[in-house]
Amino acid sequence: MTTLMQLTGLSPTGLMIVVTAVFMAGLIRGFAGFGLSAVVMASAATILPPIELIPTCYLLEGAASLAMFRGGMADADMKIVWGLVICSAIGMPLGLLATTSVDVETSRNLALSLILALTLAQFFKLRPKFLATPKGLYASGLTAGIATGLASVGGMVIALYVLASGTRPKQMRASLVMFLCISMFTSLVWLIAYDMMSMQAVWRGALMAPVVLIGVFAGTWLFRPAYEPLYKVVCLTLLTLLSATGLISQIV
């Protein structure tokens, strides 16, 4: 336990919270195809600043993407995926610039506010018609990149885009998986450029990877179209509570 605390820089209580959050995040990612970073960020932003969580989330997303890659490739709409990936790569440095330019409290509040806004948009099934157009595709990718740089939650922006397009649940999940998998390469370039991929972040990601993979495999096993409405409501409710609680704790 002492070694784990030294490598992760977390207290025993903080370590337990992060491990629990990572497992729940993996479970949601395995089922829905997105939401991993959002759960981790919403749960742990009060313990660690977003600037430290973003590279750790990147590594956890990488582990999850590799585990889900095979299933995603067969069902995803790759033409849309590539458009989103390219635009996201352009937007990410803008988000990282904002994250690294403000103080920790502002960065934390920005991340939690963004998660709450995106979660509520999904919860109430907002489907702007603009998103289901070529311009909507590029705007969604750019916004996803900025959201990734701010709070590592670009996947939630893409989920809104796919939701607006009326894609079948299976194809939606597969497209999200492939977007997150391919965008890992461009994200790494920007994280290194901004000197955010520290050794401590690597240790946190490596030590938490087995936990997130257990969650991913459990979530993948649970994925059944019949369960989707109930499970999605539970996931979004969890994200709403976590992000709102985090914001309230910052205010109070």
Side-chain angles (χ1 to χ4, degrees), residues 58 92 96 148 182-192:
Y58 165 83
M92 186 174 176
L96 288 174
T148 299
I182 297 172
S183 63
M184 298 304 296
F185 297 98
T186 54
S187 296
L188 180 60
V189 172
W190 290 120
L191 288 173
I192 292 174

Side-chain angles (χ1 to χ4, degrees), residues 17-34:
I17 291 173
V18 172
V19 168
T20 302
V22 166
F23 172 75
M24 291 301 299
L27 190 69
I28 291 172
R29 174 76 143 83
F31 183 89
F34 70 100

Side-chain angles (χ1 to χ4, degrees), residues 46-67:
T46 54
I47 300 172
L48 294 169
I51 196 170
E52 292 186 29
L53 280 172
I54 288 172
T56 300
C57 286
Y58 165 83
L59 294 168
L60 295 177
E61 290 280 9
S65 294
L66 289 174

Side-chain angles (χ1 to χ4, degrees), residues 61-72 177 181 212-213 216-217 220:
E61 290 280 9
S65 294
L66 289 174
M68 299 176 71
F69 178 80
R70 185 176 179 182
V177 167
C181 188
V212 82
L213 287 175
V216 166
F217 292 137
T220 301

Side-chain angles (χ1 to χ4, degrees), residues 8-22 39-53 104-105 108 112 200 204 208 242 246 249-250:
T8 60
L10 295 168
S11 66
T13 302
L15 188 60
M16 288 180 61
I17 291 173
V18 172
V19 168
T20 302
V22 166
V39 172
V40 174
M41 188 70 70
S43 304
T46 54
I47 300 172
L48 294 169
I51 196 170
E52 292 186 29
L53 280 172
V104 172
E105 294 302 318
R108 181 179 288 122
L112 292 172
Q200 189 172 66
R204 286 170 180 162
M208 298 295 170
L242 287 171
S249 69
Q250 295 303 304

Side-chain angles (χ1 to χ4, degrees), residues 48-240:
L48 294 169
I51 196 170
E52 292 186 29
L53 280 172
I54 288 172
T56 300
C57 286
Y58 165 83
L59 294 168
L60 295 177
E61 290 280 9
S65 294
L66 289 174
M68 299 176 71
F69 178 80
R70 185 176 179 182
M73 192 70 168
D75 300 306
D77 186 333
M78 293 307 297
K79 182 178 179 181
I80 289 176
V81 169
W82 279 113
L84 293 170
V85 167
I86 293 170
C87 292
S88 176
I90 297 171
M92 186 174 176
L94 301 176
L96 288 174
L97 180 62
T99 299
T100 54
S101 300
V102 299
D103 60 83
V104 172
E105 294 302 318
T106 302
S107 176
R108 181 179 288 122
N109 290 336
L110 276 173
L112 292 172
S113 298
L114 181 60
I115 293 169
L116 181 59
L118 290 171
T119 302
L120 290 176
Q122 291 230 16
F123 202 99
F124 292 107
K125 297 181 179 180
L126 298 182
R127 303 185 182 188
K129 293 181 180 180
F130 165 73
L131 292 180
T133 65
K135 289 182 179 179
L137 169 69
Y138 305 138
S140 297
L142 186 65
T143 305
I146 295 172
T148 299
L150 282 172
S152 199
V153 291
M156 294 192 71
V157 177
I158 302 305
L160 283 177
Y161 166 77
V162 179
L163 187 65
S165 67
T167 306
R168 291 179 295 107
K170 188 174 182 180
Q171 189 179 48
M172 169 184 171
R173 179 173 174 272
S175 297
L176 284 165
V177 167
M178 291 309 301
F179 165 77
L180 291 168
C181 188
I182 297 172
S183 63
M184 298 304 296
F185 297 98
T186 54
S187 296
L188 180 60
V189 172
W190 290 120
L191 288 173
I192 292 174
Y194 277 82
D195 197 27
M196 293 175 64
M197 190 57 73
S198 66
M199 185 52 66
Q200 189 172 66
V202 172
W203 274 115
R204 286 170 180 162
L207 292 171
M208 298 295 170
V211 178
V212 82
L213 287 175
I214 292 172
V216 166
F217 292 137
T220 301
W221 181 78
L222 286 171
F223 180 69
R224 303 287 188 280
Y227 298 160
E228 188 197 10
L230 176 63
Y231 197 89
K232 191 167 187 179
V233 168
V234 172
C235 293
L236 294 176
T237 301
L238 174 64
L239 279 171
T240 301

